[in-house]
Amino acid sequence: MTIKWAELAIVAIATIFSAGTVVLLYGLGVRLAAVAADRRPKGALQNAVSKACFGLCGLAVVVGVYLIVPYFH
Amino acid sequence: MIVLVIVLALFFDFTNGFHDTANAMATPIATGAITPRLAVALAAVLNLVGAFLSTEVAKTISGGLIREGEQGIHITPEVIFAGLMGAVLWNVFTWLRGLPSSSSHALFGGLIGAAVVGIGFHSVNFTTVVAKVILPAVAAPLIAGFSAWLCTRLAYGITARRTVEGAKLHQGRATFRIGQIFTSSLVALAHGTNDAQKTMGIITLVLIAGGLQETGSGPQFWVIAACAVAIAVGTYAGGWRIIRTLGTGLTEVKPAQGFSAESSTAAAILASSHLGFALSTTQVASGSVIGSGLGRRGTTVRWGTAGRIGVGWLLTLPAAAVVGALAALLAGLGTPGVLATAVLGSGAVLWMFVVSQRDKVGHHNVVEVQDAGEAVEFPRRRPFARKGSK
């Protein structure tokens, strides 16, 4: 019997890393949006960075879809 | 016989669909990110799309679990029929109890049981069972749970805002609801690419076994279409009981937690299906929910419910195997036996359905535990700012 420990470890690391990235980006987006809302009418910078974070997070999800669809490979 | 198997396989696909709606949609429904009916519709469409996207998994179904070919052992349609019967009955039973259990395990269990009786003990590769089924079953909830725990801590850590005096500031965590729609959609899509494949694989196996299709060829288009529709309809029917267990039975889910849990679920499914260590969607999702429950301060995880789910997982393989074995025993008697199995099986499903009607769980009361008195009828647009969502 061969248990693929290496694969198991890779799956675990990949899971934690990618989920962590998505949550980190989205969390930063949420925080900066809240900061910007508090500083209104100032806070344009925070607002822009917040948007960028959401955008990057969306990109991460798109990469996920790309991985799902074998047609793209 | 082959027609019978195909019908049963599609019914299995249907049960698989409504069993697993919860994996993707339990948490967004629980947090109110999507209304229940919209959630199942979304999941159904994504499952349908997902099923068409890939047929890779279908080609490797049951690979290695049951020793085929070499020593002249051939899986007969009868064995597959019996195995499917075991899987279907166990799926419907766990749905009745509201337990999220792995449909793949039920399928493997049923096939193993049927193969042992129909062909013999030597037909099953038990070491492969341990390496491919049992170990991942332990690993899946642990990996997803740890990831979700970490992500929840992260999400709350990042968004926590206080003034110097320590008073809480506006945090905007309700925004996570919008993100939930996307992460849960990703889970549903990933599910479609994985789970509809199993049934396609089975039907193709039967067609090959019956000599209607060339050995080694992929699933035919009508098989793909039928499976996609079956799993989508099943998803739309919605396993409300399981959604309730996963969404509100394990822990109270807040948007940030739901987002973390879904991200972890999606990441785990994608990672596992692309890096060669298959994990069960159901077990990943349940692990994520528990992990996110542990990650937020002030939440309790209902370990009683978690324990019941755990027992369900332990029983899935052997129970489906026993039913599969019994069905194989009966089906081995020839055509009357097969017919008797079919009649008994449909009778059992019907009976469980009738029992379920006594205590009906539908989209109207799926999250009443949390929202009792607040949204029994589910107004078209739920108020987004609720107490405690900060």
Side-chain angles (χ1 to χ4, degrees), chain A residues 1-40 50 54 57-58 60-73, chain B residues 53-56 126-128 130-131 135 139 143-144 146-147 150-152 154-155 157-162 169-173 175-180 182-183 186 189-190 193 259-260 263-264 267-272 274-277 279:
Chain A
M1 174 171 62
T2 50
I3 295 174
K4 303 193 237 165
W5 292 113
E7 275 86 345
L8 180 63
I10 290 171
V11 168
I13 292 164
T15 301
I16 292 163
F17 176 76
S18 43
T21 309
V22 168
V23 171
L24 182 76
L25 287 172
Y26 202 92
L28 280 174
V30 168
R31 185 187 177 115
L32 288 168
V35 171
D38 282 354
R39 293 196 184 168
R40 209 166 279 152
S50 153
F54 285 131
C57 185
V61 175
V62 170
V63 170
V65 175
Y66 171 81
L67 279 176
I68 291 177
V69 184
Y71 180 76
F72 295 137
H73 296 278
Chain B
L53 286 179
S54 158
T55 54
E56 288 304 309
F126 282 100
T127 53
T128 316
V130 173
L135 185 78
I143 293 176
F146 180 70
S147 172
L150 209 66
C151 288
T152 310
L154 197 64
I158 292 172
T159 53
R161 294 179 67 224
R162 285 170 189 279
L169 282 168
H170 168 67
Q171 290 160 326
R173 280 186 191 135
T175 317
F176 277 109
R177 280 210 183 96
I178 300 164
Q180 275 196 288
F182 294 100
T183 46
L186 195 59
L189 192 65
T193 55
F259 185 81
S260 304
S263 303
S264 301
I269 296 170
L270 285 174
S272 76
H274 286 273
L275 297 171
F277 201 93
L279 299 176

Side-chain angles (χ1 to χ4, degrees), chain B residues 244-263:
Chain B
R244 181 152 78 172
T245 305
L246 213 50
T248 59
L250 279 170
T251 182
E252 192 192 342
V253 185
K254 296 275 166 65
Q257 286 173 286
F259 185 81
S260 304
E262 290 148 23
S263 303

Side-chain angles (χ1 to χ4, degrees), chain B residues 4-385:
Chain B
L4 205 59
V5 177
I6 291 172
V7 169
L8 191 61
L10 289 176
F11 186 68
F12 168 75
D13 212 17
F14 175 81
T15 62
N16 192 345
F18 79 59
H19 228 270
D20 291 0
T21 323
N23 296 338
M25 292 303 167
T27 41
I29 290 174
T31 61
I34 319 179
T35 58
R37 249 186 283 209
L38 188 64
V40 291
L42 184 63
V45 169
L46 289 169
N47 265 299
L48 186 72
V49 172
F52 275 107
L53 286 179
S54 158
T55 54
E56 288 304 309
V57 186
K59 291 169 190 160
T60 54
I61 184 75
S62 82
L65 274 189
I66 294 167
R67 295 192 184 115
E68 310 162 51
E70 286 167 30
Q71 293 127 17
I73 297 166
H74 285 292
I75 301 183
T76 59
E78 279 80 6
V79 167
I80 297 173
F81 175 75
L84 279 172
M85 192 55 95
V88 164
L89 288 182
W90 182 252
N91 260 355
V92 177
F93 177 72
T94 46
W95 162 74
L96 186 64
R97 306 294 317 236
L99 292 177
S101 70
S102 167
S103 301
S104 346
H105 279 200
L107 185 60
F108 287 146
L111 284 177
I112 289 170
V116 165
V117 170
I119 304 170
F121 228 80
H122 57 284
S123 65
V124 180
N125 214 336
F126 282 100
T127 53
T128 316
V129 173
V130 173
K132 268 193 168 178
V133 182
I134 295 175
L135 185 78
V138 178
L142 289 180
I143 293 176
F146 180 70
S147 172
W149 174 81
L150 209 66
C151 288
T152 310
R153 297 295 298 262
L154 197 64
Y156 277 92
I158 292 172
T159 53
R161 294 179 67 224
R162 285 170 189 279
T163 58
V164 189
E165 296 84 42
K168 280 188 178 176
L169 282 168
H170 168 67
Q171 290 160 326
R173 280 186 191 135
T175 317
F176 277 109
R177 280 210 183 96
I178 300 164
Q180 275 196 288
I181 299 172
F182 294 100
T183 46
S184 59
S185 299
L186 195 59
V187 176
L189 192 65
H191 180 261
T193 55
N194 273 315
D195 279 37
Q197 310 295 318
K198 288 175 209 146
T199 315
M200 289 179 207
I202 293 285
I203 294 179
T204 305
L205 205 63
V206 171
L207 289 175
I208 292 172
L212 293 172
Q213 192 178 338
E214 269 177 56
T215 317
S217 55
Q220 292 171 5
F221 181 74
W222 68 264
V223 176
I224 300 175
C227 289
V229 170
I231 202 162
V233 171
T235 306
Y236 187 69
W240 300 110
R241 287 161 186 273
I242 301 171
I243 292 176
R244 181 152 78 172
T245 305
L246 213 50
T248 59
L250 279 170
T251 182
E252 192 192 342
V253 185
K254 296 275 166 65
Q257 286 173 286
F259 185 81
S260 304
E262 290 148 23
S263 303
S264 301
T265 306
I269 296 170
L270 285 174
S272 76
S273 57
H274 286 273
L275 297 171
F277 201 93
L279 299 176
S280 159
T281 320
T282 310
Q283 288 160 349
V284 166
S286 312
S288 290
V289 172
I290 293 177
S292 74
L294 290 173
R296 186 171 74 87
R297 262 173 300 170
T299 332
T300 47
V301 172
R302 295 187 192 92
W303 289 109
T305 313
R308 278 202 308 137
I309 294 172
V311 171
W313 289 353
L314 284 180
L315 288 179
T316 295
L317 198 77
V322 167
V323 181
L326 290 175
L329 211 60
L330 203 57
L333 299 175
T335 315
V338 171
L339 284 178
T341 316
V343 170
L344 279 176
S346 354
V349 169
L350 209 65
W351 178 72
M352 286 193 261
F353 182 73
V354 169
V355 170
S356 80
Q357 294 299 307
R358 277 185 217 154
D359 169 29
K360 212 166 177 229
V361 182
H363 57 82
H364 55 285
N365 62 353
V366 64
V367 285
E368 72 183 346
V369 183
Q370 201 178 355
D371 298 314
E374 187 191 326
V376 181
E377 275 291 299
F378 278 107
R380 195 170 288 161
R381 193 170 278 276
R382 303 260 303 273
F384 258 38

